[in-house]
Amino acid sequence: MERSSFWEATSAAPEYPALKEDTAFDAVVVGAGFTGITAALLLAESGAKVAVVEADRIGSGTSGRSTVKVTCQHTLKLHTLGDEKARAYYAANKSGFDFVCGLVERNGIGCDFERLPAYVYARGDECLPDIEKEAEFYSKLGIDGGVTEKTGLPFGVKCALVMRDQAQFHPLKYLYALARRFTACGGSIFERTKAQRFERGADCAVITKNATLRSRDVIFATNYPMTDFPGLFFLKLHQEREYAICAKADGLDIGGMYISAQKPANSMRMYRSGDENRLILVGYGHRTAKEDDDFSGYDRLKELLRRDFKTADPDPDYAWSAQDCRTLDGIPYVGPVYAEPPGVYVAAGYEKWGVTNSAAAAMMISDAIAGTGHIDRHIRKAFDPLRFTPAASAKNFLIHTGNVAGAFTAGNILIPEGSYGDIKPGEGAVMRVGAKAQAVYRDTDGKIHAFEAHCTHMRCPLEYNAAEKSFDCPCHGSRFGTDGEVLNGPANEPLCRITERPER
């Protein structure tokens, strides 16, 4: 089983240069995923001179590693928001849905686009009341859907909530097409160009290793915002990981896209292209650094595949994972974080529903910068990144800050004593060696790689993730490779390598 994204393996990535010299633009976008490229395209079409900088390759983050359902059905979410916020959330995502589908269909984008219904299904009775409540909001909002007992799944369900006329596609084929449209409008994309620092003065400066980009507006489309202030995002966001597998499934057709109502949620869809027919299973998410050491998400998904989809190949040939943020009240943080120019904009907290949310976020940010008028300002207000709504957020705020405080305190106290001799080739650990907490990995050649065991974001103690061979932060979700380099933010600096160490 290959530990890589099926989407990355089945698409031809375009090449863009690295930034080499200081340049000025009207707007700079940090992050080349769905949000960043869509926002850049909208601004370029409005006449702005726009640059996108990406630390790795275009689409290399969450956008190229998700289930990729183009749908406004985000589990059983609407009834939890209340009438006003549910209307705003659905309206924004319906605008995003219409934008994506319209762009694909009008321009004939070859991304294996397919219209299908979306379902939330329940196998037991415990979720039936929530399904009924959600169905009531479908009626209130005029959504084409409702409760049904009929699905295309190869196992029985108590009932399901269907939203008709939704869609799915190949995410990177779509994203690469948007990137080509953007550059055709005069836009610039710089890959392998990591934004190391950000400064805001008379204008905005995005500082990379080789050069500085200056602009009147900066958009952080980086999953977790690069700037914590003034939005206090370290208090308002937490990150979760989710796992995916892909298996050949000749002859299988489940007739739609699905996610379970029960927790932990499992999501499934088919992918068809030519003679190829595949099943993609996603699920068993958890807060970053809180995985089950004894039974990984990949193992659980393989068990689900073999138990419930007996006509599919029991041995998946691709496996990958993704990470996304959750907000306190269930609505993404989108928009400006300063009232006066120069403008700094963020988009974060999609809760794994990034296709429609990212398009909606890009339109809202384009409206704020260029006055493009895609989404009503009253809807945009519900996504205000500076908001704090005590009635909806207080409980989750206390849970989140409690988790952070607990991880920081207990994590430091409970780091075990150890020695390099305890670490076998291909394994890692966080341990105290002498008086120093260290993140240690021994590579397959037997060489030890040791680093300070605290996240470079806010100094929280790290934990070793054996399933993915990474050092993860339980406080805000930063992840580091066994070479100490940043895999996921908000951390922006690599771990500090320990070069003087006793061989104990």
Side-chain angles (χ1 to χ4, degrees):
M1 183 171 65
E2 188 174 338
R3 285 289 181 92
S4 64
S5 165
F6 171 74
W7 308 122
E8 293 174 348
T10 54
S11 54
E15 292 276 350
Y16 296 100
L19 179 68
K20 294 182 179 178
E21 59 184 14
D22 295 355
T23 315
F25 290 87
D26 296 325
V28 171
V29 181
V30 182
F34 286 142
T35 306
I37 294 296
T38 306
L41 173 62
L42 292 173
L43 291 172
E45 288 179 338
S46 74
K49 182 183 178 184
V50 186
V52 178
V53 293
E54 167 58 48
D56 193 355
R57 302 291 305 281
I58 178 175
S60 60
T62 302
S63 296
R65 306 180 69 82
S66 61
T67 323
V68 205
K69 298 174 179 177
V70 189
T71 179
C72 298
Q73 187 189 64
H74 300 172
T75 63
L76 304 177
K77 185 184 192 75
L78 296 175
H79 79 277
T80 69
L81 299 176
D83 284 8
E84 185 177 351
K85 287 189 174 182
R87 289 183 186 279
Y89 183 81
Y90 177 75
N93 277 276
K94 184 63 166 63
S95 294
F97 174 87
D98 291 341
F99 173 86
V100 171
C101 296
L103 194 64
V104 170
E105 293 175 333
R106 285 194 308 273
N107 296 282
I109 294 175
C111 58
D112 306 312
F113 181 87
E114 186 177 7
R115 294 264 186 178
L116 290 166
Y119 297 83
V120 181
Y121 69 90
R123 301 182 82 161
D125 294 332
E126 65 271 22
C127 294
L128 299 186
D130 286 338
I131 286 179
E132 293 290 346
K133 291 175 187 176
E134 193 77 358
E136 291 175 10
F137 271 77
Y138 279 32
S139 297
K140 288 180 181 180
L141 300 175
I143 297 171
D144 183 11
V147 178
T148 180
E149 294 180 357
K150 295 181 179 180
T151 74
L153 292 169
F155 52 81
V157 302
K158 283 283 186 178
C159 76
L161 182 65
V162 61
M163 187 178 289
R164 301 182 184 91
D165 197 31
Q166 303 301 286
Q168 63 183 27
F169 61 17
H170 189 301
L172 293 182
K173 291 180 181 179
Y174 169 78
L175 186 62
Y176 297 159
L178 260 61
R180 288 192 291 270
R181 288 176 62 89
F182 168 61
T183 55
C185 291
S188 300
I189 298 174
F190 301 104
E191 292 185 318
R192 298 184 176 91
T193 302
K194 182 178 177 60
Q196 295 179 322
R197 294 198 335 272
F198 163 72
E199 295 177 356
R200 180 176 182 269
D203 59 6
C204 293
V206 174
I207 300 160
T208 74
K209 181 179 179 180
N210 295 323
T212 296
L213 294 173
R214 294 194 173 275
S215 64
R216 68 167 187 252
D217 295 298
V218 168
I219 301 168
F220 289 112
T222 50
N223 191 30
Y224 196 112
M226 187 176 166
T227 176
D228 276 319
F229 299 97
L232 300 176
F233 298 114
F234 64 94
L235 293 175
K236 294 161 51 176
L237 286 170
H238 79 267
Q239 299 199 71
E240 295 186 356
R241 294 198 67 69
E242 195 165 50
Y243 302 90
I245 59 173
C246 177
K248 295 176 182 177
D250 295 337
L252 178 65
D253 183 4
I254 58 176
M257 306 169 290
Y258 297 84
I259 189 167
S260 64
Q262 283 87 359
K263 304 298 182 185
N266 299 309
S267 179
M268 50 211 68
R269 60 161 286 190
M270 304 297 298
Y271 172 75
R272 289 178 279 265
S273 181
D275 295 332
E276 188 170 37
N277 196 55
R278 286 180 169 272
L279 173 68
I280 297 169
L281 300 179
V282 179
Y284 296 107
H286 58 79
R287 190 178 178 116
T288 301
K290 297 299 181 183
E291 59 279 341
D292 185 341
D293 291 335
D294 297 322
F295 203 46
S296 76
Y298 298 122
D299 294 328
R300 295 177 189 276
L301 286 172
K302 283 190 284 186
E303 183 183 72
L304 175 68
L305 170 68
R306 293 165 183 170
R307 184 188 69 226
D308 290 340
F309 297 91
K310 298 186 185 302
T311 61
D313 190 324
D315 296 310
D317 45 2
Y318 291 93
W320 66 97
S321 61
Q323 185 154 306
D324 206 358
C325 292
R326 286 185 176 270
T327 66
L328 294 176
D329 61 2
I331 295 179
Y333 299 131
V334 178
V337 294
Y338 293 97
E340 301 296 331
V344 178
Y345 301 83
V346 299
Y350 300 158
E351 296 188 1
K352 305 167 189 173
W353 298 104
V355 180
T356 56
N357 265 312
S358 66
M363 289 190 284
M364 286 187 260
I365 291 172
S366 173
D367 290 348
I369 293 175
T372 43
H374 293 290
I375 294 179
D376 186 273
R377 63 183 181 87
H378 296 294
I379 294 174
R380 300 204 306 263
K381 185 177 179 182
F383 291 76
D384 180 1
L386 300 182
R387 73 184 183 277
F388 178 71
T389 50
S393 306
K395 179 181 177 182
N396 287 333
F397 175 77
L398 291 173
I399 292 172
H400 172 57
T401 53
N403 279 329
V404 170
F408 189 90
T409 304
N412 277 306
I413 293 172
L414 298 178
I415 293 174
E417 296 283 343
S419 71
Y420 300 141
D422 298 333
I423 309 298
K424 297 177 182 179
E427 295 184 357
V430 173
M431 59 189 183
R432 291 192 185 280
V433 181
K436 185 171 290 187
Q438 299 187 19
V440 182
Y441 179 76
R442 187 185 293 274
D443 64 28
T444 53
D445 293 328
K447 182 180 179 180
I448 285 287
H449 303 266
F451 310 90
E452 290 188 8
H454 289 86
C455 179
T456 56
H457 174 228
M458 298 187 79
R459 300 294 298 166
C460 288
L462 299 173
E463 297 183 15
Y464 182 64
N465 177 348
E468 300 185 90
K469 297 186 184 300
S470 61
F471 296 102
D472 301 351
C473 175
C475 294
H476 304 107
S478 297
R479 299 177 61 244
F480 302 85
T482 54
D483 59 357
E485 294 297 318
V486 177
L487 298 176
N488 296 93
N492 204 40
E493 297 294 330
L495 297 178
C496 181
R497 186 177 290 272
I498 296 172
T499 55
E500 295 183 8
R501 51 184 185 262
E503 281 294 341
R504 292 179 52 198

